[in-house]
Amino acid sequence: MTVTEKKTADQQAPAEEPKIVATNVKVSYGGRDALHGIDLEIVARKVTALIGPSGCGKTTFLRCINRMNDLIPVAEVTGSITLDGNNIYAPEVDVEVLRRHVGMVFQKPNPFPKSIYDNVAYGPRIHGLASNKQELDKIVEKSLRRAGLWDEVSDRLEAPGTGLSGGQQQRLCIARAIAIEPAVILMDEPCSALDPIATAKIEELIHELKERYTIVIVTHSMQQAARVSDYTAFFHLGDLVEKGETEALFTNPKDERTEAYISGRIG
Amino acid sequence: MTKEHIVKAYDEELAELDQMVSDMVAAVREQISQSVVNISKYEKGGLQKSIDFDETIDDMQVDIDNHATRMLALRQPVAADLRKIVVSFRISNDLERIGDYAKNVAKRLDVLVDMDLPEEAGFSITRMGRMVNRMLDDALKAYLNGDKQLALDVIEADENVDHAHTAFFREVMTYMMEDAKYITACTHFMFITKNIERMGDHVTNMAEQVYYVVTGEHIKEGRVNKDKSINVSAEL
């Protein structure tokens, strides 16, 4: 009798070219370690979900990818993260330019207190991506369409973004993020403040967006990770415990801690 | 995975699933005991009892399927929990088939009970029935304890049932050659042992499913069936 050599999660290393490569990334806040040396490759134009209990370091890791931790004075980041082979922590890197390529969507929708149009046009304006009004109009429409919001707001582009529903606001934030044509979109629990229908719309949108963008999503919902992601990485107490194809990780996890967490045995 | 779920009701439902599978295995073993193992004590009219009992077994399968469906819908199981719940559909199906075979045996016994029989034939059938019942018991233990090795042992034990079937095939041929009056009865016997051999195959399926639950890996298809009765020929 032979046993089929079904690959376990860890062995199914992404075959595709990695967009982002994190090597031995360590983060400490005021001397307290939050991440203990993370090695992770993020595949281009795929969705990678970061899961784990609260305080496991998943959001800390996400924030390293566009150097958001730079904003915290006590945070110290070591190791390397490359985007298309270039170290984003190299001294010559302009963080503003980096963040143009690595957009972010937050837990709570945070539209600017401006019109729907201006919310989306803001990024292209400050980065000088449009040379005239027509071009800017095009970018705004394209971004809202890609974010699945155009049909709902096209007749009231001058209305304030903050007047939209929560789910619409979150899609507006996604439109704002993609208006500057980033390569990577980071999402930090983008659906945690939304109802199930709005959540489903965002999840469908994530599925469509991955054709163009590399997406990294932090989520507390394991079902959401299972639904939307191609790859999943499980963080626990500052360590990357297991990473692999989502399907393998959810049907046959290799590490006991992963199994315990995803099946609801440890929180 | 011994740790308990944070949600206690989830653990209770999984425990209930185990209990339902245990009960169904016990019922199927009882069915096999009534018809196959205790063949020498079989009494006319046993068929109706067997038919009634088969209905109970069918109901048990429906109950397991409903329970497992409910857990899929409400708990969104993953990993080992998911494997166990998905596999319970297949195990209950295999058990139901075994129950059917046992009922088929009872149908033939109801006819055989009025016939002249070669006395020794019953011993071989009893022995095969015991083999299958032991396999069932072990498969259940492997399922309940997550015992991968025991599941593999069960799969291996099926070879003995296959060999016993081949041997019995030769045996009944000699009875038929010795005395033509045994031909009708012996033909029934051949079907009976074929049914028992098929029961063994379904227990093997169950053991393969248990192996998958425990390891997350499938045993490669292509297990060799050691039933060689097809090659047996009578030389007159």
Side-chain angles (χ1 to χ4, degrees):
Chain A
M1 183 180 333
T2 52
V3 171
T4 52
E5 294 195 0
K6 189 178 176 197
K7 289 173 182 170
T8 48
D10 240 17
Q11 293 164 327
Q12 289 177 333
E16 296 95 333
E17 187 80 2
K19 183 80 182 170
I20 298 164
V21 180
T23 311
N24 197 24
V25 173
K26 294 181 184 173
V27 179
S28 64
Y29 294 113
R32 194 179 56 83
D33 290 344
L35 286 178
H36 303 134
I38 304 299
D39 295 313
L40 181 63
E41 294 186 354
I42 309 276
V43 181
R45 285 186 296 282
K46 297 280 179 192
V47 179
T48 300
L50 311 181
I51 62 168
S54 296
C56 68
K58 58 190 188 295
T59 297
T60 297
F61 180 75
L62 188 80
R63 293 164 64 93
C64 290
I65 302 175
N66 71 348
R67 290 184 56 173
M68 291 256 299
N69 289 320
D70 290 13
L71 304 171
I72 301 167
V74 293
E76 194 188 332
V77 181
T78 62
S80 95
I81 296 180
T82 62
L83 175 66
D84 293 326
N86 303 311
N87 187 1
I88 64 168
Y89 281 91
E92 67 274 15
V93 169
D94 179 342
V95 176
E96 298 307 321
V97 174
L98 169 70
R99 291 188 192 140
R100 223 204 93 189
H101 294 293
V102 185
M104 185 130 181
V105 176
F106 295 88
Q107 192 168 353
K108 219 175 145 221
N110 56 350
F112 300 136
K114 292 169 177 287
S115 70
I116 293 168
Y117 185 96
D118 286 339
N119 260 281
V120 183
Y122 182 82
R125 273 191 191 124
I126 61 165
H127 289 291
L129 301 183
S131 51
N132 55 47
K133 177 80 165 75
Q134 281 83 0
E135 273 185 35
L136 193 59
D137 287 352
K138 266 190 193 159
I139 291 173
V140 170
E141 179 176 342
K142 189 176 69 182
S143 305
L144 285 168
R145 279 191 191 282
R146 282 191 194 157
L149 194 59
W150 176 254
D151 292 342
E152 292 163 53
V153 301
S154 59
D155 57 348
R156 48 174 170 147
L157 292 175
E158 294 313 314
T162 47
L164 297 170
S165 74
Q168 288 173 325
Q169 285 187 24
Q170 196 61 305
R171 279 180 283 146
L172 179 61
C173 293
I174 291 171
R176 186 178 65 190
I178 61 184
I180 53 170
E181 288 290 344
V184 179
I185 304 173
L186 307 178
M187 297 185 171
D188 189 1
E189 296 180 44
C191 301
S192 62
L194 305 182
D195 68 48
I197 301 296
T199 298
K201 285 183 182 167
I202 300 281
E203 288 179 1
E204 172 59 19
L205 180 57
I206 290 170
H207 189 73
E208 286 167 12
L209 291 175
K210 75 175 178 184
E211 276 187 20
R212 295 170 176 277
Y213 310 100
T214 302
I215 297 172
V216 186
I217 178 170
V218 163
T219 175
H220 264 134
S221 160
M222 283 164 287
Q223 279 75 32
Q224 180 168 66
R227 286 192 299 262
V228 303
S229 70
D230 302 291
Y231 298 99
T232 298
F234 170 60
F235 286 72
H236 187 52
L237 301 174
D239 291 311
L240 175 57
V241 173
E242 189 165 349
K243 61 199 170 188
E245 286 185 5
T246 298
E247 188 191 327
L249 193 127
F250 278 92
T251 54
N252 193 11
K254 226 178 100 184
D255 193 285
E256 270 195 19
R257 288 167 292 176
T258 315
E259 171 110 22
Y261 179 68
I262 63 172
S263 59
R265 288 175 167 94
I266 54 168
Chain B
M1 188 60 31
T2 50
K3 276 195 192 114
E4 291 172 350
H5 287 92
I6 296 162
V7 178
K8 273 208 185 95
Y10 191 0
D11 280 326
E12 288 164 10
E13 286 165 15
L14 280 168
E16 196 181 337
L17 183 66
D18 283 352
Q19 187 58 51
M20 291 167 102
V21 171
S22 303
D23 291 347
M24 191 167 177
V25 168
V28 170
R29 292 184 77 228
E30 176 63 20
Q31 179 84 311
I32 294 172
S33 293
Q34 298 275 346
S35 54
V36 182
V37 177
N38 295 324
I39 187 167
S40 57
K41 296 175 194 156
Y42 190 86
E43 287 174 4
K44 184 88 180 166
L47 174 60
Q48 190 52 50
K49 212 168 141 190
S50 183
I51 289 171
D52 293 344
F53 205 53
D54 190 54
E55 278 178 19
T56 308
I57 291 172
D58 290 353
D59 290 344
M60 289 172 137
Q61 184 194 7
V62 173
D63 288 345
I64 288 175
D65 288 359
N66 285 342
H67 188 70
T69 303
R70 185 175 172 277
M71 288 186 77
L72 282 178
L74 302 187
R75 302 289 175 205
Q76 289 98 41
V78 294
D81 300 331
L82 174 67
R83 298 200 297 270
K84 178 164 237 183
I85 291 166
V86 168
V87 153
S88 67
F89 289 103
R90 299 188 63 176
I91 289 180
S92 71
N93 190 50
D94 280 316
L95 291 171
E96 188 274 331
R97 293 298 304 146
I98 297 170
D100 272 353
Y101 283 123
K103 183 183 68 180
N104 289 347
V105 170
K107 276 184 192 164
R108 294 187 186 278
L109 292 181
D110 238 40
V111 179
L112 281 169
V113 94
D114 299 324
M115 293 183 189
D116 256 349
L117 304 174
E119 212 175 295
E120 307 89 332
F123 296 123
S124 300
I125 290 175
T126 297
R127 201 170 62 243
M128 281 180 77
R130 284 200 179 122
M131 281 179 188
V132 172
N133 263 352
R134 183 166 310 135
M135 283 170 69
L136 262 174
D137 195 35
D138 285 346
L140 177 64
K141 277 184 192 146
Y143 170 85
L144 293 175
N145 301 329
D147 188 337
K148 151 178 108 171
Q149 187 52 49
L150 190 54
L152 292 172
D153 292 347
V154 170
I155 294 164
E156 210 172 295
D158 187 48
E159 287 184 13
N160 298 332
V161 179
D162 292 345
H163 287 310
H165 177 237
T166 310
F168 186 75
F169 201 86
R170 291 177 201 280
E171 189 183 333
V172 288
M173 276 193 156
T174 57
Y175 298 143
M176 289 193 272
M177 284 188 285
E178 277 168 22
D179 195 333
K181 75 176 179 189
Y182 288 144
I183 285 177
T184 310
C186 284
T187 309
H188 283 300
F189 277 142
M190 283 178 175
F191 280 107
I192 287 174
T193 51
K194 185 63 197 169
N195 279 334
I196 302 172
E197 191 271 326
R198 292 294 296 141
M199 290 179 198
D201 291 344
H202 283 285
V203 187
T204 302
N205 285 350
M206 177 176 169
E208 286 173 355
Q209 296 305 313
V210 171
Y211 185 90
Y212 171 66
V213 173
V214 178
T215 64
E217 289 167 352
H218 289 287
I219 291 172
K220 209 172 189 175
E221 285 294 324
R223 187 180 59 88
V224 184
N225 191 320
K226 296 288 170 67
D227 173 15
K228 299 279 187 257
S229 58
I230 197 168
N231 300 323
V232 176
S233 64
E235 287 171 19
L236 294 168

